[in-house]
Amino acid sequence: MGLLDPRNLAWAAALAVLVAIYLRSRSRPTLEVSSLMLFDDVPAPVASVRQVHLDPLFWLEAAGLCALVFAAAGLYAMTAKAGMRGHSHALVFDVGAAMGGSSGAQGGAVRIDEAKRMALRILSAAPAGDEFSVLTYALAAHVAAPQTPNLAVVRGAIEALAPLDVPARASALRAVMMRARGASEIDFFTSREPDKSALRDAALDSRVNLHLIGGGDDNLGIVSLDAGAGGGSKGRIVLRNFTGAPELTGLAIDLDGAKVFDEPLMLAPREQVVVPFGPLAEGGLLHARLKHPDALLADNQRWALAPLASTVRVMVLSPDDSVRADLARVLLAISPNFQVETASPRYFHPDPKARIDLAVMHDCFVPGINSGATMLIYPPAKIASVANLTGFRIDGTADQSTMIPLAAPGTESDEGSVARVSLDSTRMMRMPAWMDTHRWALAGSADERVPLVASGEIPSGRIGVLAFDIRGHLLLDPDRLDALVATVGLVKRLTEPVGVRVVSTGDYVNFASTTPVKVTRPDRSVIMVRPDASNRVRIRPLEIGRYVVEIAGAKSQIFANYYDAAESDLASAAARTTSVSETFAVRSGTVAYAQRQMEPLGKVLIAIALLLFIVESIILVRHASRWSATHV
Amino acid sequence: MLEARAFEPEFLRKLDRLVLGIKRARTIRAGNRTLGRVQGAGIEPENFREYALGDDLRFLDWNAYARLDQLSIRTFRADRQVEMTMMVDASASMRYPERDDKLGLALALGAALAYVGMSDNDAVRIATFAAHRGAMRLDATPFHRRRESYIDFKPFVSAARPGGETRIGAAVDELLQFRRPPGIVIVISDFLTSQSEYENALSRLLAARHEVKALHVLGEMESTGAYPPGLYRIRDAESGVMRETVFDSAAAEKIRRRAEQISDGIRDFCVGRGIGYARAFGVASLDGFIENELPKLGLVR
């Protein structure tokens, strides 16, 4: 049972009006008299009349009105679907990176194409009248085609499906299954065994046909690429063999087009190796690729930025000596190219002519520094009025806070930290829309969720904020490494080369712009993206490769990398088509949930209301005849 | 409001012709019931007598003592003035029926009688009584003797508001605590209280040697039972007790008979004890009642 439009229950106010009319009709006026002595001889009414008593006319009218109100609200019942009617099918496709892998031997069909062929066969075999919907999921659930009997539309949606270079997330699987639960039959195309709890959560007691596609495919992937810290340190690339046999491959690395490394490599079964290269003489864009094609191409390329050999001037300002020393150590560890100067804000006088690449200010703010990027650590409370950061606000300071882990246990993320780290004094900040919050913390007496690490762009350059205080050698505390990781991550963000960014597929990349932005994707297709209310353009690369972003004539490049250990491991079970409905324990009766349909009860309710009003009329006519009245 | 009528010149001119019908003492005679001030309070010398222990030394005739060496007390003829108190019931029951303005009628009658009483320069005051939350509240004006000061009653009469319970007995007790000389007490009330209550109260006034008169005021609606027909809940204005009832012609007759029964009970009691009794039930014309009814009942001449 349910209501199609609960807002129409507002008509129930008619019941209140009916009750008010009834009570008014039953009420008697109260008369103030000087004394009841005068009325001693006046008898009371024979029957003491109650305010509400069993008046059949009233109850009939109330029941009739109730029926009409429920009819207006669209009361419906879930009923078993009639046998002669067509079934509804949901075709659910995993469009994660693994579905882009070649099925079977190298050069075989791509998994998604095989899934599409199977789906089209199901479509062709379906009896007339059946309805289909096409749903996909990877990072999120998506409806490619809503439920329709128009098979041409469904066929077109299936043929347009393409895999994305992102991992398929369990949360997206749950979401897509919740959407598909209304169908009487679900055909689920994926390359990996699905999380059964996702199907259970969706209460899928209908028939789910699981189509596992591919299996045992050879794949090698680049796990990571690190250009080294510069200054003579070597770079490292990590490769992994996901197959059960030794694999020969060729690895080529070049820096801005110049060859750095090009050698064949032999990897043992399921081996992960670290290959050093370099050191690199200068910075730039590093590109690594596996020369031998394998089943999954998305993880065969990777980009990284090598730090430039030029000096990066960093000014560290803090009223605390130990904080200045800690920050200098950390900055020099990040890059030996950093030329770090430290000073107390009390004695520092900025020179507008001297260009500083990064100004790090702890518990202070010195205006007038000519810097390309500004990093504020534990900013002072009055900064909002001094720094001209629109929308940025500090509401107070919490004595303690707890850093929220990046990835909660059980969720899929390539960022590994899960332990909660306690921090000391933390500013309770409110971030403007133009800043992106990268880490959160729980702070205050009510464990309020507050931003901890955030960054954004202003006309004068980049700006990053760390909300926690780093006094007491926090950055060097081995038990609270997350604080150091967050600090290093923010420093790297702020010192990235301008015009080039290297991100993971699925990450959001923001640009400040007031005009529409032209984005050229890796497949050379061009899209225009409009800025939002905060004059910000958000781009989310879902394919590996180079994206070119053109803002008012200025071009920026984004290089998107992909790697996911679970997704890249194509050596899963052999392809099979199976019905897993018996696997899911949720069962209730012989009629499955998805084989039920909504049956509007409006007509029935109106009929009931009419019947009740007819009965009321009959009672009135009988009363009238008893009173010998000719007109009622 | 009806009480305002008592201060209109036209109405007062009609009252000028009337005199209060009371028994007034002309001389002091032992054993006779007298009204007026106590002996010695007057200014007209009457006699001398031998001093007795306890006599007020202010009236000792020092000249006679000097000449005769005997202590003599001068006695004076008693004044003819009588103290009159109009006790007006201001309880909540006097508010209803609102259409009849019972309290206004009672105050107008009290003020009119006070005006008549002032014709002989008698000391007159108006008092209202009602019990609020168990405590008796008896508000009274000062005594006024001359008609020029009659207008001084107007603020008191205008400010009187109904409320509280009818507790005549407690009001009389409070009045007697002043220990004023015997005078005239006119009780104006609807007497919608228990029979024992008003009988005890009036008896105590008689016992204090006051000349007592009772003026019974009821609204026209409650004395005739002319309530609009229908089913009603009626609420006692003083006790708040409610009951359901049906008003129709039969009920009206019963109410009228009940009002008559209450009135007869009071009248019988008053007649038996020499208390002047008059009833003003649904008095539409205050003037006519004052001019025609009160003389018939002996309250005025």
Side-chain angles (χ1 to χ4, degrees):
Chain A
M1 299 285 275
L3 298 167
L4 290 176
D5 190 356
R7 285 174 300 182
N8 281 338
L9 286 177
W11 288 105
L15 277 170
V17 174
L18 176 68
V19 171
I21 291 170
Y22 177 75
L23 291 177
R24 181 74 186 84
S25 70
R26 305 300 308 174
S27 69
R28 279 136 297 150
T30 300
L31 197 65
E32 295 269 0
V33 295
S34 52
S35 173
L36 293 183
M37 286 173 64
L38 293 167
F39 305 90
D40 284 348
D41 299 336
V42 181
V46 176
S48 181
V49 184
R50 287 174 295 166
Q51 285 290 331
V52 179
H53 71 147
L54 194 63
D55 184 336
L57 295 178
F58 168 76
W59 292 116
L60 281 171
E61 282 184 15
L65 269 180
C66 278
L68 289 178
V69 168
F70 279 117
L75 186 73
Y76 64 84
M78 296 302 294
T79 57
K81 208 163 187 176
M84 66 287 287
R85 296 183 63 174
H87 283 213
S88 61
H89 300 259
L91 305 175
V92 178
F93 291 87
D94 174 358
V95 289
M99 290 297 283
S102 302
S103 182
Q106 283 181 8
V110 179
R111 292 177 172 186
I112 191 74
D113 293 335
E114 196 170 327
K116 288 196 281 192
R117 272 196 298 276
M118 292 168 75
L120 291 172
R121 275 202 298 272
I122 292 170
L123 208 63
S124 304
D130 277 15
E131 296 180 351
F132 286 84
S133 59
V134 181
L135 309 169
T136 64
Y137 77 97
L139 291 177
H142 174 66
V143 179
Q147 188 168 322
T148 175
N150 187 344
L151 298 186
V153 172
V154 177
R155 196 169 282 116
I158 292 172
E159 284 170 352
L161 291 177
L164 305 173
D165 293 336
V166 290
R169 288 187 176 157
S171 57
L173 172 60
R174 282 192 175 81
V176 82
M177 284 303 169
M178 291 299 283
R179 289 181 179 224
R181 62 188 289 189
S184 55
E185 201 161 330
I186 298 171
D187 286 287
F188 179 20
F189 303 93
T190 182
S191 60
R192 289 184 290 161
E193 283 281 354
D195 181 5
K196 302 235 174 10
S197 66
L199 305 178
R200 265 188 225 107
D201 290 348
L204 287 173
D205 51 0
S206 63
R207 181 176 171 78
V208 178
N209 295 320
L210 176 63
H211 306 279
L212 281 174
I213 298 160
D217 301 327
D218 300 338
N219 182 36
L220 274 74
I222 302 176
V223 176
S224 67
L225 175 63
D226 178 18
S233 71
K234 287 195 166 191
R236 289 175 180 81
I237 184 167
V238 180
L239 305 178
R240 186 168 177 184
N241 178 13
F242 289 98
T243 61
E247 284 290 333
L248 176 68
T249 186
L251 172 65
I253 303 173
D254 51 55
L255 179 68
D256 287 337
K259 187 180 294 182
V260 173
F261 184 94
D262 190 358
E263 287 179 20
L265 293 170
M266 175 67 79
L267 275 77
R270 307 200 67 82
E271 185 191 20
Q272 181 166 302
V273 295
V274 179
V275 181
F277 61 91
L280 302 176
E282 53 191 26
L285 180 68
L286 201 63
H287 178 213
R289 66 184 191 282
L290 296 177
K291 292 167 79 174
H292 295 183
D294 56 17
L296 184 60
L297 299 178
D299 57 5
N300 286 359
Q301 294 188 78
R302 198 164 186 87
W303 288 266
L305 287 170
L308 297 172
S310 57
T311 303
V312 177
R313 284 195 67 193
V314 181
M315 172 59 70
V316 176
L317 298 170
S318 171
D320 194 296
D321 295 344
S322 62
V323 168
R324 291 199 296 269
D326 288 353
L327 281 172
R329 284 192 189 97
V330 170
L331 288 165
L332 289 173
I334 292 171
S335 171
N337 295 334
F338 283 176
Q339 180 185 324
V340 182
E341 298 170 54
T342 66
S344 168
R346 187 185 298 175
Y347 305 112
F348 177 74
H349 300 289
D351 180 4
K353 293 177 184 171
R355 177 71 175 175
I356 294 171
D357 296 301
L358 173 64
V360 182
M361 291 186 252
H362 164 255
D363 199 11
C364 63
F365 182 78
V366 179
I369 300 177
N370 181 9
S371 64
T374 306
M375 181 173 172
L376 301 170
I377 303 174
Y378 193 60
K382 292 180 181 172
I383 191 172
S385 58
V386 182
N388 196 23
L389 301 175
T390 310
F392 180 78
R393 204 174 81 224
I394 295 178
D395 290 342
T397 305
D399 293 338
Q400 276 200 326
S401 67
T402 307
M403 188 184 281
I404 299 174
L406 274 176
T411 60
E412 295 172 4
S413 171
D414 55 356
E415 301 187 66
S417 174
V418 291
R420 293 200 167 198
V421 175
S422 291
L423 302 168
D424 298 329
S425 290
T426 303
R427 299 288 192 213
M428 311 276 277
M429 302 188 300
R430 292 284 173 274
M431 291 299 168
W434 54 268
M435 291 188 84
D436 293 316
T437 302
H438 310 296
R439 297 295 297 264
W440 296 83
L442 300 176
S445 55
D447 268 353
E448 188 185 347
R449 189 178 153 95
V450 293
L452 202 63
V453 183
S455 65
E457 285 193 25
I458 53 176
S460 60
R462 296 170 180 163
I463 188 156
V465 186
L466 281 181
F468 53 90
D469 197 359
I470 55 172
R471 286 187 176 90
H473 302 293
L474 173 69
L475 297 181
L476 308 183
D477 187 343
D479 293 333
R480 295 191 280 183
L481 276 178
D482 265 23
L484 177 62
V485 170
T487 308
V488 170
L490 187 60
V491 170
K492 284 185 172 176
R493 260 177 219 278
L494 297 176
T495 54
E496 274 176 357
V498 177
V500 182
R501 294 191 200 181
V502 177
V503 297
S504 296
T505 51
D507 285 356
Y508 284 101
V509 186
N510 300 328
F511 292 92
S513 174
T514 55
T515 56
V517 172
K518 179 181 170 187
V519 180
T520 307
R521 293 193 288 202
D523 59 0
R524 310 271 181 193
S525 62
V526 176
I527 56 168
M528 298 298 289
V529 184
R530 290 186 176 280
D532 60 14
S534 309
N535 291 330
R536 185 176 62 170
V537 172
R538 286 169 70 93
I539 297 166
R540 194 183 199 189
L542 296 174
E543 302 166 51
I544 63 159
R546 188 180 75 143
Y547 292 74
V548 179
V549 180
E550 197 171 333
I551 305 171
K555 288 185 179 177
S556 297
Q557 297 183 91
I558 303 169
F559 290 91
N561 291 327
Y562 161 78
Y563 174 74
D564 184 85
E567 195 80 16
S568 292
D569 190 359
L570 302 180
S572 60
R576 60 196 172 95
T577 300
T578 180
S579 168
V580 293
S581 58
E582 68 276 8
T583 320
F584 309 130
V586 187
R587 281 278 184 276
S588 57
T590 53
V591 182
Y593 172 82
Q595 290 171 327
R596 295 159 72 86
Q597 63 180 1
M598 285 192 310
E599 190 68 48
L601 299 176
K603 290 177 182 172
V604 178
L605 289 167
I606 290 171
I608 291 172
L610 287 175
L611 188 67
L612 291 168
F613 292 141
I614 289 169
V615 172
E616 184 192 7
S617 301
I618 292 170
I619 292 174
L620 278 173
V621 169
R622 288 183 62 185
H623 283 196
S625 61
R626 192 182 305 161
W627 299 330
S628 303
T630 51
H631 300 286
V632 181
Chain B
M1 301 296 280
L2 204 51
E3 67 270 18
R5 175 73 178 145
F7 296 92
E8 291 173 3
E10 181 198 349
F11 180 71
L12 295 178
R13 271 197 296 277
K14 293 177 184 174
L15 297 180
D16 284 341
R17 300 194 296 267
L18 303 175
V19 178
L20 209 58
I22 57 172
K23 303 164 192 167
R24 194 181 300 273
R26 293 294 176 186
T27 57
I28 300 172
R29 293 187 182 122
N32 279 0
R33 183 185 178 197
T34 58
L35 292 176
R37 288 192 179 178
V38 293
Q39 184 182 358
I43 56 171
E44 189 178 345
E46 188 183 42
N47 208 344
F48 289 88
R49 67 171 175 82
E50 195 173 339
Y51 170 77
L53 194 63
D55 282 345
D56 193 339
L57 290 178
R58 287 179 301 171
F59 302 109
L60 199 66
D61 190 336
W62 295 104
N63 293 329
Y65 176 66
R67 289 198 306 271
L68 306 172
D69 202 18
Q70 284 182 344
L71 291 173
S72 303
I73 291 290
R74 279 183 293 182
T75 61
F76 299 87
R77 186 164 182 165
D79 285 341
R80 293 179 183 176
Q81 291 175 342
V82 175
E83 286 186 358
M84 292 175 57
T85 302
M86 313 295 164
M87 285 184 68
V88 179
D89 179 1
S91 65
S93 64
M94 296 294 281
R95 185 199 301 267
Y96 303 104
E98 285 180 294
R99 198 182 65 182
D100 293 333
D101 192 13
K102 273 161 58 179
L103 182 64
L105 174 64
L107 288 167
L109 286 171
L113 291 171
Y115 184 82
V116 173
M118 284 173 152
S119 62
D120 283 341
N121 291 335
D122 288 324
V124 179
R125 66 175 171 176
I126 301 174
T128 57
F129 65 92
H132 292 271
R133 295 176 185 172
M136 171 49 61
R137 189 169 150 192
L138 181 71
D139 297 326
T141 63
F143 282 105
H144 295 285
R145 291 175 178 79
R146 300 179 62 78
R147 281 190 167 171
E148 288 80 359
S149 58
Y150 171 69
I151 196 68
D152 292 342
F153 288 127
K154 190 171 183 182
F156 180 83
V157 169
S158 303
R161 294 285 179 271
E165 298 171 45
T166 309
R167 299 267 297 277
I168 301 178
V172 166
D173 288 346
E174 184 123 352
L175 184 75
L176 294 180
Q177 280 181 358
F178 293 119
R179 299 190 178 278
R180 302 296 303 180
I184 299 174
V185 178
I186 301 176
V187 181
I188 307 171
S189 170
D190 55 11
F191 292 102
L192 291 175
T193 182
S194 67
Q195 189 174 353
S196 59
E197 170 86 13
Y198 67 73
E199 286 183 0
N200 287 338
L202 297 177
S203 299
R204 282 204 292 281
L205 284 173
L206 288 175
R209 298 176 60 208
H210 289 290
E211 185 173 333
V212 183
K213 296 181 185 302
L215 207 51
H216 193 184
V217 178
L218 275 185
E220 184 174 359
M221 194 182 270
E222 59 190 354
S223 61
T224 59
Y227 288 97
L231 185 65
Y232 289 91
R233 270 186 300 189
I234 53 174
R235 180 175 176 276
D236 189 303
E238 292 185 12
S239 65
V241 177
M242 299 180 78
R243 56 167 285 202
E244 291 177 348
T245 192
V246 178
F247 288 138
D248 51 15
S249 56
E253 178 60 23
K254 287 187 172 111
I255 293 166
R256 192 187 60 75
R257 263 192 267 142
R258 177 69 176 140
E260 287 286 341
Q261 186 186 353
I262 292 170
S263 170
D264 291 346
I266 301 168
R267 188 192 58 204
D268 294 346
F269 173 79
C270 291
V271 168
R273 283 160 182 76
I275 298 173
Y277 172 81
R279 62 183 194 183
F281 285 8
V283 179
S285 164
L286 177 65
D287 303 35
F289 181 77
I290 294 281
E291 287 179 321
N292 304 324
E293 297 299 318
L294 289 185
K296 287 180 193 170
L297 298 169
L299 270 174
V300 294
R301 295 194 295 267

